Amino acid sequence: MIERLDLIEKRYDEINNLLMQPDIISDINRSRELSIELSSIEETVSVYRKYKKVLSDIEESKEMLHDAELGEFAKEELVRLNEEKDNLENELKVLLLPKDENDGKNVIMEIRGAAGGDEANIFAGDLFRMYQKYCENQGWKLEIIDYTEGTSGGFAQIEFMIKGSNVYSKLKYENGSHRVQRVPVTEANGRIQTSTATVLVMPEVEDVSIEINPNDLRIDVYCASGHGGQGVNTTPSAVRITHLPTNTVVTCQNERSQIQNKEQAMRVLRARLYEAKQREQDETVGSERKSKIGTGDRSEKIRTYNYPQNRVTDHRIGYTTNNLDRVMNGALEDVIEALITEDQKRKLMGEEA
């Protein structure tokens, strides 16, 4: 571990020196690449330097142990320093874990009402508002791409993009089937009903990450529709793109122009094809899938929202909180932090095994 940390620290100093060179400063792309690399290792170097300082302080305290006046103080200091050393070592182990290449990316999310008819669609709408509030709390930007409203409220399906800092690193754990237990507004007898909605989270993909042959696409344009299906645009601005080899269909009608809708639809298509490719790769690497928090399949039940008991339970890690009202209002931090912590724990165990 120390050898790896020494190399990272050496590279950190090297990049800092490069960024002061006139030829690098004048090269915007190179300067940007180096700045991104510097930012990615800055925290690791900072913690490592604290760790080295603690090791130095431990040696000094050991030398003071036999001092008549300072011996007792040195004993107390050694207890504190050794505890700090252990904490910093654990922090460094986490920082040295392999990074998910998608963690820093924006995401495209899709929520669909599943089992439960109208109530499932209403719940899908509740989940959308939960993520919308969470985005506001994080300072992220949410853009709706396409949606179909439920007949009694909510959404049969809604697709949206979230832009911000390290969005995928936090929302990637939301993939799967979300279950709600409550008395539906559509239930006349006041009985508790169980309904589900599925969530899909995909990282936004750059053009270079996945190649799409234009000849493999069928692009249809039509007039955008509003509430209840009525036309809201007399010109064909909505876009439907079909990727013929995989029969993947994406639509976008929320932008003002056909060009904007086509660009947005292509973003979604790239994300869907990339997600399918990643899923294929995961299937061939069994050990990697076992270490993940859940399988990522939309059919997997990952979380239950129990309204009568004001309880949220994440079944993958056995996490429960009795703050459902706050969670549905966007306070997802504790749930996501628990998932990140468990993910890091499993990766550490995998490395040590």
Side-chain angles (χ1 to χ4, degrees):
M1 185 177 81
I2 298 301
E3 286 179 9
R4 287 171 66 190
L5 289 165
D6 282 338
L7 287 171
I8 292 169
E9 185 180 33
K10 184 180 177 183
R11 178 58 179 164
Y12 179 82
D13 292 334
E14 184 183 340
I15 296 172
N16 270 314
N17 289 330
L18 285 170
L19 287 171
M20 290 188 285
Q21 304 299 321
D23 57 326
I24 298 293
I25 293 170
S26 61
D27 186 338
I28 296 172
N29 289 331
R30 181 64 176 145
S31 179
R32 179 174 163 274
E33 286 173 7
L34 288 170
S35 295
I36 291 171
E37 186 182 351
L38 187 76
S39 177
S40 71
I41 61 176
E42 197 163 22
E43 185 181 1
T44 303
V45 172
S46 174
V47 175
Y48 181 44
R49 285 176 175 171
K50 285 181 190 173
Y51 178 71
K52 287 198 293 185
K53 175 68 167 61
V54 167
L55 290 181
S56 175
D57 290 347
I58 286 173
E59 291 307 311
E60 287 182 15
S61 295
K62 284 180 178 177
E63 290 175 10
M64 293 162 52
L65 281 173
H66 304 295
D67 189 291
E69 294 182 5
L70 299 173
E72 202 58 39
F73 169 77
K75 275 184 187 177
E76 294 176 7
E77 191 66 0
L78 271 172
V79 171
R80 184 189 68 79
L81 287 168
N82 278 308
E83 186 177 333
E84 188 176 354
K85 171 179 166 283
D86 291 343
N87 290 337
L88 288 170
E89 279 181 354
N90 290 332
E91 196 173 343
L92 285 168
K93 284 178 183 177
V94 170
L95 287 167
L96 287 174
L97 286 172
K99 301 289 190 297
D100 186 328
E101 63 180 14
N102 295 318
D103 275 353
K105 294 181 179 179
N106 300 326
V107 304
I108 293 167
M109 289 184 74
E110 181 190 270
I111 305 173
R112 287 181 180 270
D118 288 340
E119 171 61 13
N121 294 340
I122 292 169
F123 178 49
D126 293 338
L127 288 176
F128 170 70
R129 282 183 289 276
M130 176 183 77
Y131 292 124
Q132 194 174 36
K133 291 281 188 183
Y134 179 64
C135 288
E136 289 172 10
N137 295 342
Q138 297 292 311
W140 297 339
K141 183 180 179 184
L142 186 150
E143 299 173 359
I144 295 175
I145 297 170
D146 191 37
Y147 65 92
T148 303
E149 292 182 317
T151 54
S152 298
F155 299 100
Q157 170 267 337
I158 183 166
E159 203 161 32
F160 50 98
M161 176 175 280
I162 300 173
K163 298 179 179 179
S165 175
N166 297 313
V167 179
Y168 186 76
S169 70
K170 294 187 176 181
L171 291 179
K172 62 185 176 183
Y173 304 103
E174 298 304 296
N175 265 328
S177 177
H178 295 239
R179 182 175 71 171
V180 64
Q181 294 174 325
R182 64 184 175 189
V183 178
V185 293
T186 54
E187 173 61 61
N189 297 319
R191 291 175 299 185
I192 293 173
Q193 179 178 317
T194 298
S195 305
T196 60
T198 59
V199 175
L200 177 64
V201 183
M202 302 172 287
E204 184 184 17
V205 182
E206 300 296 326
D207 292 7
V208 292
S209 300
I210 190 140
E211 292 182 14
I212 298 176
N213 187 339
N215 295 325
D216 289 339
L217 302 178
R218 185 179 73 231
I219 301 177
D220 303 306
V221 294
Y222 55 98
C223 293
S225 61
H227 300 293
Q230 72 267 30
V232 295
N233 200 332
T234 56
T235 58
S237 62
V239 173
R240 180 188 302 110
I241 300 179
T242 305
H243 185 249
L244 299 172
T246 60
N247 199 33
T248 303
V249 180
V250 297
T251 60
C252 183
Q253 63 172 344
N254 260 48
E255 302 295 340
R256 293 178 181 273
S257 74
Q258 185 184 123
I259 292 173
Q260 289 174 313
N261 279 322
K262 183 182 175 184
E263 288 175 354
Q264 194 76 292
M266 284 301 295
R267 286 193 190 100
V268 177
L269 179 61
R270 281 194 295 272
R272 285 191 178 282
L273 295 179
Y274 180 80
E275 193 265 344
K277 182 181 175 184
Q278 289 295 105
R279 191 175 294 277
E280 267 183 40
Q281 290 175 351
D282 284 348
E283 291 292 347
T284 63
V285 188
S287 60
E288 172 64 16
R289 286 186 71 81
K290 284 176 187 174
S291 70
K292 285 184 176 178
I293 298 291
T295 64
D297 294 334
R298 291 180 70 160
S299 60
E300 181 192 19
K301 182 185 73 178
I302 65 165
R303 196 175 295 150
T304 294
Y305 304 76
N306 185 302
Y307 275 72
Q309 297 178 28
N310 197 39
R311 186 181 70 224
V312 177
T313 300
D314 196 290
H315 304 288
R316 295 164 296 180
I317 61 173
Y319 175 87
T320 295
T321 177
N322 293 101
N323 292 309
L324 180 142
D325 50 342
R326 292 187 65 249
V327 169
M328 297 310 292
N329 203 36
L332 272 168
E333 292 88 351
D334 289 348
V335 181
I336 288 174
E337 193 60 40
L339 287 160
I340 291 172
T341 300
E342 179 63 23
D343 192 19
Q344 291 172 341
K345 178 183 168 186
R346 291 185 188 184
K347 284 176 180 173
L348 283 168
M349 288 172 67
E351 268 203 354
E352 288 165 6

